[in-house]
Amino acid sequence: MSEAEIVYEVLHELLAELGGRPTVIAKTADLERDLGLGSLERLELLLRLERKLSIKLPEQTFARGQTPAELIEALAACEHGGTRAAERSEPARPPAPRAPEGDRCHVPDSLRTLVDLARFRAEHDGDRAHLVLLDEDGGDRELTFGELWRRGLTAASSLAARGVSPGDRVAIILPTGVEFFTTFLGILCAGCVPVPLYPPARLQDLPAYVKREMGILASAGARVLVTDRQMLQLGKLLRDRFPAMIVMSSEDLEVGDPSLGLARVAPDDLALIQYSSGSTGDPKGVALPHRSLLANARAIGEGLAFRPSDVPVSWLPLYHDMGLIGTWLSPYLHGMKVVMMSPLQFLARPERWLWAFHRHGGSISPAPNFGYDLCCRKIRDEDIKGLDLTSWRSAMNGSEPVRADTVERFCARFGPYGFRREAMMPVYGLAETSVALAFSPVGRGPLFDRIDAERFARDGHAVPTDGAAAELVFASCGVPLAGHEVKLVDASGDTQAEVGERTQGRILFRGPSSMTGYFGRPDATAAVRDGEWIDSGDLGYLADGELFVTGRMKDLIIKGGRKFHPQDIERAIQALDGVRKGCIAAFDVPSGASGEAIVVLVETSLAAERHEDLTKAILAAVQDQLGTPADHVRLLPPGSLPKTSSGKLRRRQSRSMYLEGAFDRPPTRLGRAAAIAELAVSSAAGRGATWARGLTGQLARAASTTVAAATVVPGLAMISMVFRGQRTTWTSGRWVLKVGTSAAGLPVTRSGPALPERGAILVSNHASYLDWLVLTLALEQPFLFTAKSSVFSMPILGRLMQRLGHIRVERGQLAGRHESFRVAREAAERGELVHFFPEATFTSASGLRPFRLGAFQLAAELGLPIIPIAIKGTRRALRDGDKLLEPTRLEVKALPAIPAPPLALREISACRDLVREQLAREVDEPLLDIVSAALPNEVTA
C-alpha cells in the first residue's frame, strides 16, 4: 500500500470514529475547513500515521500539511529508515532460572507486630533483595530487606521530629515506588497509623481530587499527609480545610537519625485504616490492628503453600488491600522477593506483566477478573514472542466476579506460552477481613458450577442444570483460610437461621484477620456485627464445602417475587454492538401498584439514529436472560455513570441519580435533510430578506443601532482607560451593557442553574459579534473568553479584553502546543471559568458548525465539568454582514453540567457531539455537517 493510500485510509478511519461519513476526500480538501478536523484531531491523525508507518514525523508537518496532498508530500520527504518507532515487544531473552523449591517459608511465631517483622527480616535477610520495582523504561530498581528497615527508621525519626505522636493517622498519597514502602514502614515504626489513599490520575485533576478526598481525610482525622514533591500543591488546596494537618514530601522523610523515633508498638495497636476507592460519599475506614494483618498474611502463605523460591509479581495499586496486603505484606512476612510495577504500566502495556514472570521467574500473582480479560483483548502475538510462563503456579482471580468465559479465554490464549489451567485460582476476600477469606485449592484449577437459572431466581436453590434449562455459572472460591470460618444465613435478616446446602444466603465470617470495626463509626460497625460474626454484605451458597459467591445483597433485584442479580443482566447486554464495556447499570425501582420495575442504564457512543435499534436489542437480551423484559432502558452518553477511582461501577449511586432525575435523555440529532432545508430557508430569509424590509423597519434598526453605539461605546472606552482590576472592570462593563441593550430594544434574559464559583469549562454556540457582550451581561460572575487575536487589535474592545484577562487565540496552531492553550490551561487550573466558542467562527446562516475538540480535551485533561450555555436571538439581532441591529429578545440559558469525559479520543468526541446536540436543540437550529466535495485528483475509499 502506497503512502498516499495509507493517508486516506487513516483519514477515513478517524473521520468515521468522529462521526463523519465522507466517502470521497479530495487531495486539495482543507483538513480543518472541509473535513472539520481541528488541531487536536490533526494531532491524532499525526500519531496514527506514525504508528501505521513506524516513523517519527516532525511536528511542523501539521503546521504545513493542511491538505491530504501536503501530508503525502511531507511523508515522501521523510527518511523511514532513521526514524523507526520503538518496538513494543520485549527483547528475546531466556527465562529466569528456576530456584530450588525447597521447604515451606519459615515464619517465627514470635513476630507480633509488623515492626517486629521488619526488624526480623533486616537482621536475618538484610542483604537479600526484597522489592524489585520496574520502571517505565524496562529497568529494575531493587530494595533489600536491610535498606527498607534503615529507611523506615529514618522516616520514623523525621515524623517524630515534626511532633507526630504514636496513634496519629498519616495519609499516604504516593505512586508505586520505593518511597511508598519506606514511608509506610516509617509510619509504623513511629507508632502511627498509615492511611493509603489513591493518587490522582494527573496533576491537573488536583482540585476535583481534593474535593473527593475531603471526606476520607476528615473521617480518618489525618494528622499528616505525605505525598511526593510534584503533588505538594495538595498542601495549598488543603490548608484552609485542614489547618492543623502537616503536609510533607516523601523526600522530607529521608533526613533523620535512624536510631531515634522508634516507638513501642503492641499487637492490638492499629496498623492500617483501609478505605475503598468508592467510599468518598460515606467514608467507612476498615480499622485493622497488627494482629489481624499478620494473621491474614500467615493464612495467605499457608493457603498458597509459599516456598522460598516463589516470586510474586504484581501491578495492583498499593492503596488497595489486595495490592498492599496480598502482594506486599504477606510476601514480606515470608521473606520473599516481590516484583512490582505500577497500575498505569500494566494498563498501557499489559504484556509487561507477563514479561515480568518470564524475566524474574514469577510464580504468584493476584488480579481482578478484568486484568485477565485485558490481557486477552490487548496483547498481540508480536508482543510476546519468546514468552515463557511455565514458572507461574498460582494466578489468583478475585476482587470482582470471576467470569468463566474470561478464565477459559485466558487459559487458551496463553497456554501455548506455558500457562497451565491448573494455576488459575478463584479466591474471595474483603477489606473487613484484611483481604483474604477463602482460596481454591492450589494446583486444582477453577471449578465452575452450572445451575438452573429459573429455579435459582425463584427460590434461591442452586440446582445443577441438566443442560435443558437456562443456566447460571458461578466460580468456586474454595474453602476458608486456616483459622477462619464462614456461614450462610437467611437473606431476610435472621442471622441465626443458617441455610442449607446449595441455598443462597448472606455470607457471614469470623476469624483472626477480622477488623476491629469501622474507624470512628460505631454505628456502621454495629450494623454489620453479630457477636463474633461480621456480615460481608455478599450473597453466596455452599456446595460440597466450597463457597460460591453470587453477588451483593444490596444490589439484588427483586421483581414479582423473583430475585435477579444485576451482573447477569449487565453481562447479557455487554456483548451487544455499541455498548461501552463495563458501563452498564441494572437495578430495580419502586413502580406503584406493579411493585418493582427493572431499570437498565447503558452508555453508548452510537449516533442517535441508531439508538432505537440498540434499545430493542437490549430488551431482547434481558428477556432472553431473565424470562422477563426490562421495564425501562435509558441510553446515556459516555462518562455518565458514576464509578470509583479504580473503575468499578457505583450501582447504588446510579440508582439514586436515576430516581432523582439526574440522567437526561440524550437529545435526538437533527436529520441531515432537515439541516440542509433549514440552511436553505435561513439563507434565503437572511441578509437579503432583511434588507428588503420596509422603510419603517430600517429606521427602527438604525435608531436601535445609534442608541446602542452612543451608550455602549463611550462607556466601554472610559472603563478600559480608567479601571484595571478584573472584578471592577467586569461589574462596570455589565452596567454599561445593561443600559445600552435596554435602550436599544435588546432585553436579555438569563435562565438555568447558576454557574459554579470556580473550576469549569463553559461552551456556547456562536452566532454573532454580540455573543460575547450578551454573555458578559447575562452571566453572574467573571469568566475568561478565548477570542481570536484580531479582536484584541480593535481600539476599544481589544483594550477591554486585555483588562478583563481574556485569552488570545492564534489560529492555525496545534492545540495543546501553542501559547493560548497553555494560558487557558493555567487559568482553568487556577479555578477560573474558561469559555470557548467551539465553532471558532459564525456565518449569517442558521445552524451550528462542527465543534473543535480543544475545550473538551482541556476538560478531560483537568477533570473539569463542561457547562453548555445556549445563546438565542443574537444572530437575528446582528447577522454576519449586517451593520444595523434588529430589536429582539435575547436569551442566555445555562444547561446542566456534563461530567468531564475520559481522556480518550472516542470519549472526548462523543462528549463534544453531545454538547453540540444539546445546544442545537436548545437554540432550535440544525447541525451543519461539512463534508468535502468531490474535486479533481480525488481518492475514493
Side-chain angles (χ1 to χ4, degrees), residues 247-307:
V247 179
M248 301 177 64
S249 164
S250 56
E251 295 178 11
D252 297 333
L253 300 182
E254 296 176 0
V255 179
D257 186 345
S259 64
L260 303 174
L262 182 61
R264 186 182 299 276
V265 180
D268 290 322
D269 289 346
L270 274 187
L272 174 67
I273 302 177
Q274 174 73 44
Y275 288 90
S276 71
S277 57
S279 62
T280 55
D282 180 27
K284 294 195 294 264
V286 174
L288 297 165
H290 288 262
R291 184 191 306 280
S292 294
L293 290 173
L294 285 174
N296 204 242
R298 290 178 189 273
I300 290 172
E302 187 170 344
L304 293 174
F306 275 164
R307 308 162 183 164

Side-chain angles (χ1 to χ4, degrees), residues 148-165:
L148 177 58
W149 172 245
R150 288 190 295 274
R151 293 184 61 170
L153 290 176
T154 300
S157 68
S158 299
L159 288 169
R162 293 290 188 99
V164 181
S165 303

Side-chain angles (χ1 to χ4, degrees), residues 141-319:
R141 182 180 180 185
E142 291 190 350
L143 187 68
T144 65
F145 287 101
E147 184 182 0
L148 177 58
W149 172 245
R150 288 190 295 274
R151 293 184 61 170
L153 290 176
T154 300
S157 68
S158 299
L159 288 169
R162 293 290 188 99
V164 181
S165 303
D168 285 344
R169 276 75 64 198
V170 180
I172 307 173
I173 303 179
L174 290 170
T176 299
V178 169
E179 292 75 15
F180 179 93
F181 299 101
T182 57
T183 297
F184 189 96
L185 182 57
I187 295 168
L188 292 175
C189 289
C192 300
V193 185
V195 184
L197 302 178
Y198 73 95
R202 47 191 179 271
L203 293 178
Q204 295 88 340
D205 193 34
L206 279 180
Y209 167 83
V210 168
K211 185 177 180 181
R212 290 192 299 268
E213 295 303 290
M214 286 290 193
I216 292 180
L217 292 170
S219 169
R223 175 81 170 85
V224 181
L225 169 66
V226 179
T227 186
D228 60 21
R229 188 163 294 280
Q230 285 184 319
M231 290 188 288
L232 282 180
Q233 300 174 57
L234 282 170
K236 299 176 183 178
L237 296 171
L238 291 167
R239 194 162 293 136
D240 292 339
R241 179 63 179 83
F242 301 106
M245 187 170 67
I246 302 170
V247 179
M248 301 177 64
S249 164
S250 56
E251 295 178 11
D252 297 333
L253 300 182
E254 296 176 0
V255 179
D257 186 345
S259 64
L260 303 174
L262 182 61
R264 186 182 299 276
V265 180
D268 290 322
D269 289 346
L270 274 187
L272 174 67
I273 302 177
Q274 174 73 44
Y275 288 90
S276 71
S277 57
S279 62
T280 55
D282 180 27
K284 294 195 294 264
V286 174
L288 297 165
H290 288 262
R291 184 191 306 280
S292 294
L293 290 173
L294 285 174
N296 204 242
R298 290 178 189 273
I300 290 172
E302 187 170 344
L304 293 174
F306 275 164
R307 308 162 183 164
S309 59
D310 279 325
V311 178
V313 179
S314 176
W315 54 267
L316 296 176
L318 294 170
Y319 59 81

Side-chain angles (χ1 to χ4, degrees), residues 186-473:
I187 295 168
L188 292 175
C189 289
C192 300
V193 185
V195 184
L197 302 178
Y198 73 95
R202 47 191 179 271
L203 293 178
Q204 295 88 340
D205 193 34
L206 279 180
Y209 167 83
V210 168
K211 185 177 180 181
R212 290 192 299 268
E213 295 303 290
M214 286 290 193
I216 292 180
L217 292 170
S219 169
R223 175 81 170 85
V224 181
L225 169 66
V226 179
T227 186
D228 60 21
R229 188 163 294 280
Q230 285 184 319
M231 290 188 288
L232 282 180
Q233 300 174 57
L234 282 170
K236 299 176 183 178
L237 296 171
L238 291 167
R239 194 162 293 136
D240 292 339
R241 179 63 179 83
F242 301 106
M245 187 170 67
I246 302 170
V247 179
M248 301 177 64
S249 164
S250 56
E251 295 178 11
D252 297 333
L253 300 182
E254 296 176 0
V255 179
D257 186 345
S259 64
L260 303 174
L262 182 61
R264 186 182 299 276
V265 180
D268 290 322
D269 289 346
L270 274 187
L272 174 67
I273 302 177
Q274 174 73 44
Y275 288 90
S276 71
S277 57
S279 62
T280 55
D282 180 27
K284 294 195 294 264
V286 174
L288 297 165
H290 288 262
R291 184 191 306 280
S292 294
L293 290 173
L294 285 174
N296 204 242
R298 290 178 189 273
I300 290 172
E302 187 170 344
L304 293 174
F306 275 164
R307 308 162 183 164
S309 59
D310 279 325
V311 178
V313 179
S314 176
W315 54 267
L316 296 176
L318 294 170
Y319 59 81
H320 188 273
D321 50 9
M322 200 179 198
L324 177 66
I325 304 168
T327 57
W328 177 41
L329 292 180
S330 184
Y332 193 13
L333 175 66
H334 292 84
M336 298 158 62
K337 181 173 76 172
V338 182
V339 178
M340 291 275 190
M341 61 193 303
S342 76
L344 293 179
Q345 286 177 283
F346 169 74
L347 295 174
R349 288 183 54 193
E351 64 270 17
R352 289 172 173 169
W353 185 41
L354 305 188
W355 278 111
F357 285 92
H358 173 105
R359 292 173 51 198
H360 298 278
S363 57
I364 293 170
S365 187
N369 190 84
F370 95 85
Y372 297 103
D373 180 71
L374 189 68
C375 289
C376 294
R377 291 189 290 108
K378 295 295 186 182
I379 296 178
R380 307 174 303 173
D381 289 340
E382 54 264 41
D383 296 330
I384 50 176
K385 290 180 180 178
L387 179 69
D388 187 341
L389 298 177
T390 54
S391 63
W392 199 350
R393 72 177 185 89
S394 293
M396 292 175 283
N397 188 333
S399 181
E400 61 185 26
V402 179
R403 305 297 187 199
D405 57 343
T406 299
V407 169
E408 300 304 342
R409 283 189 295 113
F410 187 88
C411 293
R413 175 73 173 82
F414 299 103
Y417 299 91
F419 183 83
R420 295 171 296 109
R421 190 177 189 278
E422 293 77 16
M424 184 63 69
M425 285 182 59
V427 297
Y428 171 65
L430 62 164
E432 286 80 356
T433 184
S434 296
V435 61
L437 181 58
F439 281 3
S440 298
V442 172
R444 181 190 67 183
L447 173 64
F448 293 105
D449 194 23
R450 301 179 183 277
I451 63 173
D452 188 315
E454 172 67 26
R455 181 74 183 275
F456 190 72
R458 186 172 65 249
D459 56 23
H461 290 303
V463 178
T465 182
D466 56 7
E471 65 179 24
L472 291 174
V473 182

